[in-house]
């Protein structure tokens, strides 16, 4: 009978709502109506109409004040929700105390007032029969404050009670990653696999991510393969397996993994196609690379990285006019990416448009001033143009810094040598070698500086 009554009551309310007619309802009936339109078939308009009646007829009823807070949370007006919650005079014996604390925590979380959120979730935990219930929300807010030690403590508290909820593994690992304690993470997850769940695809997947972060790509591939043996339909695991193979130059295996990833992913296939193209680039199979870059751009013609990849492929094929069109398209989509300007500089260089090359290389460095490779590229360009003085002026602000890179000292030495300042060249090469003797191999591998290495004074320092 109750089910029929509820159904009739809801239908009666909907008719009144459609006619904009406020009817009288008992407290129990309004409770049923609000519950239905909040939990069963959420409808913010019908809920607002019901609340208007409830708060008019039963102004001080705590249940309806809480529903008002829920409604304003639903429509993301957290300030108004908190105002309603503050109307409630909570007593220690109140049966809604915990719920009010949680709602306050939710509102402060959504408002990015994380310290207040933590305070109210902790109060909820204090009155809760299961204190671990709110440990995850507390951990989330500590993460938002970049307090990963405390976040980890609360995530562990949640894990101790809900180890079967494997999604917590991602939160735990997020903290370990930000703390740089990848070995701790791997040891913990391997114990979890051994003692809790030997068939945890998530744990093996996350172990793989941690090995990648440690640049241990061979172990990463093994971990991803264990994960796939348990869950062979994970697009993310195949994709990351492809990335790991790419890093160890196993390009054919990387392509196979990326293609398997595409069988199971619903979106962003254009990214995976681009990665396959990059594998063919590394294999110097540029026609195949262009084919995959084209397929990527057919799916998303606004993909800036795709146009940049296409430009690199055309540049390798010496189709530099086509390359220039592609890289200009990438820059038109995203003018803040330094790599795009670096690529454009290389294309312009191959077109003998040297003034524009310099502009692009300097723009790339402006966008990413800490990139040592870009700095090397700019100085290399000045040396090619037989303008070592420009290289000296470009590097002079860096060479006397206490944390100067050894390669910068080496480049400064080379610029001074070609500018005729041999004593300065010897001095800064000595500094570079003292900082890192391995720069010798970098110099010897660079055929452009044969005159430099042939100089007796330089040769003596190098040997």
């Amino acid at each position: 009978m109750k089910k029929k009554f509820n159904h009739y009551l809801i239908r009666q309310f909907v008719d009144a709502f459609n006619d904009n007619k406020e009817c009288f309802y008992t407290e129990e009936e309004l409770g049923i109506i609000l519950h239905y339109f909040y939990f069963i078939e959420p409808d913010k308009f019908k809920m607002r109409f019901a609340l208007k009646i409830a708060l008019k007829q039963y102004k001080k009823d705590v249940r309806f004040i809480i529903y008002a807070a829920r409604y304003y949370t639903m429509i993301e007006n957290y300030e108004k929700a908190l105002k309603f919650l503050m109307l409630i005079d909570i007593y220690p014996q109140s049966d809604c105390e915990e719920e009010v604390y949680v709602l306050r925590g939710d509102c402060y979380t959504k408002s990015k007032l994380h310290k207040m959120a933590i305070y109210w979730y902790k109060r909820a935990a204090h009155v809760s029969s299961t204190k671990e219930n709110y440990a995850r929300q507390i951990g989330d807010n500590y993460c938002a404050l970049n307090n990963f030690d405390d976040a980890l403590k609360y995530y562990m508290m949640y894990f101790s009670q809900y180890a079967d909820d494997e999604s917590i593994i991602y939160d735990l690992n997020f903290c370990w990653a930000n703390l740089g304690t990848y070995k701790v993470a791997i040891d913990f997850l391997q114990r979890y696999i051994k003692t809790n769940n030997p068939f945890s695809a998530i744990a093996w997947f996350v172990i793989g991510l941690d090995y990648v972060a440690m640049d241990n790509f061979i172990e990463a591939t093994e971990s991803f393969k264990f994960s796939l043996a348990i869950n062979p339909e994970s697009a993310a695991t195949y994709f990351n397996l492809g990335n790991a193979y790419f890093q160890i130059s196993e390009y054919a295996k990387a392509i196979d993994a990326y293609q398997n990833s595409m069988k199971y992913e619903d979106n962003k296939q254009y990214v995976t196609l681009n990665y396959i193209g990059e594998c063919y680039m590394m294999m110097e199979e540029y026609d195949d690379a262009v084919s995959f870059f084209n397929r990527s751009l057919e799916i998303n013609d606004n993909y800036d990285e795709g146009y940049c990849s296409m430009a690199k492929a055309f540049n390798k094929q010496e189709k530099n006019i086509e390359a220039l069109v592609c890289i200009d398209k990438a820059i038109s989509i995203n003018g803040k990416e330094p790599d795009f300007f670096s690529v454009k500089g290389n294309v312009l260089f191959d077109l003998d448009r040297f003034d524009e090359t310099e502009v692009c290389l300097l723009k790339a460095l402006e966008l990413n001033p800490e990139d040592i490779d870009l700095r090397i590229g700019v100085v290399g360009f000045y040396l090619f143009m037989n303008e070592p003085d420009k290289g000296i002026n470009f590097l002079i602000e860096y060479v006397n810094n206490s944390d100067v890179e050894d390669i910068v000292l080496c480049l400064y030495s080379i610029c001074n040598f070609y500018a005729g300042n041999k004593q300065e060249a010897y001095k800064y090469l000595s500094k570079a070698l003292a900082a890192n003797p391995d720069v010798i191999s970098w110099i010897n591998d660079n055929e452009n500086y044969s005159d430099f290495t042939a100089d007796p004074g330089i040769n003596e320092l190098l040997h």
Side-chain angles (χ1 to χ4, degrees), residues 42-289:
D43 187 317
K44 61 185 179 182
F45 300 108
K46 293 182 178 68
M47 194 175 175
R48 182 176 62 186
F49 188 72
L51 276 171
K52 182 180 176 183
I53 297 169
L55 293 173
K56 186 181 291 185
Q57 295 178 6
Y58 307 101
K59 188 174 182 179
K60 294 183 180 180
D61 192 307
V62 170
R63 288 179 303 165
F64 299 143
I65 294 174
I66 290 173
Y67 268 114
R70 286 173 175 163
Y71 163 75
Y72 282 109
T73 301
M74 178 192 286
I75 65 170
E76 300 181 7
N77 187 338
Y78 305 113
E79 185 178 354
K80 196 73 175 282
L82 285 165
K83 284 182 179 178
F84 271 97
L85 290 169
M86 290 173 187
L87 294 175
I88 303 170
D89 189 13
I90 299 297
Y91 293 98
Q93 289 78 27
S94 171
D95 60 359
C96 63
E97 186 178 18
E98 182 179 343
E99 182 179 10
V100 171
Y101 293 160
V102 173
L103 281 169
R104 285 182 173 178
D106 292 346
C107 289
Y108 283 121
T109 297
K110 295 291 188 180
S111 302
K112 297 185 174 12
L113 298 170
H114 300 293
K115 290 182 180 179
M116 289 296 292
I118 289 167
Y119 171 79
W120 286 107
Y121 285 133
K122 284 183 176 180
R123 288 197 66 175
H126 181 72
V127 299
S128 174
S129 58
T130 309
K131 298 188 184 304
E132 294 83 2
N133 281 352
Y134 306 109
R136 194 164 192 176
Q137 290 98 316
I138 295 170
D140 289 345
N141 279 279
Y142 273 124
C143 268
L145 293 169
N146 295 328
N147 184 342
F148 300 108
D149 288 307
D150 283 333
L152 190 60
K153 180 176 75 174
Y154 280 93
Y155 287 148
M156 280 294 190
M157 188 185 299
Y158 179 88
F159 175 82
S160 69
Q161 185 70 23
Y162 304 106
D164 291 339
D165 180 3
E166 287 194 285
S167 65
I168 191 63
I169 290 173
Y170 292 113
D171 294 330
L172 288 166
N173 202 65
F174 183 76
C175 294
W176 284 317
N178 278 281
L179 293 168
T181 52
Y182 297 107
K183 185 67 168 63
V184 172
I186 291 169
D187 290 345
F188 176 88
L189 292 170
Q190 287 177 334
R191 286 197 306 273
Y192 168 77
I193 290 168
K194 186 175 181 179
T195 60
N196 289 68
N197 187 356
F199 300 103
S200 174
I202 290 176
W204 279 116
F205 172 67
V206 171
I207 289 171
L209 295 178
D210 289 331
Y211 276 127
V212 167
M214 296 170 68
D215 293 336
N216 190 339
F217 301 108
I218 293 174
E219 287 292 342
T221 61
E222 293 304 311
S223 299
F224 291 139
K225 286 191 284 187
F226 276 124
S227 181
L228 287 166
I230 301 164
N231 178 14
E233 297 185 359
S234 171
T237 308
Y238 276 118
F239 185 81
N240 281 278
L241 176 62
N243 290 346
Y245 276 134
F246 186 94
Q247 292 295 330
I248 55 176
S249 304
E250 295 270 10
Y251 302 117
K253 290 182 179 179
I255 290 169
D256 185 59
Y258 289 139
Q259 288 177 329
N260 279 320
S261 169
M262 290 177 63
K263 295 176 184 176
Y264 305 108
E265 66 183 352
D266 296 326
N267 51 26
K268 291 202 172 180
Q269 289 199 353
Y270 64 91
V271 174
T272 308
L273 288 165
N274 193 73
Y275 275 55
I276 293 172
E278 293 289 353
C279 291
Y280 282 114
M281 286 284 290
M282 299 305 294
M283 296 162 71
E284 299 184 0
E285 296 179 17
Y286 302 120
D287 288 339
D288 286 328

Side-chain angles (χ1 to χ4, degrees), residues 407-423:
I407 199 72
V408 170
L409 293 169
C410 189
L411 285 168
Y412 192 69
S413 169
I414 294 169
C415 287
N416 273 284
F417 175 82
Y418 285 105
N421 308 322
K422 286 194 174 183
Q423 293 306 312

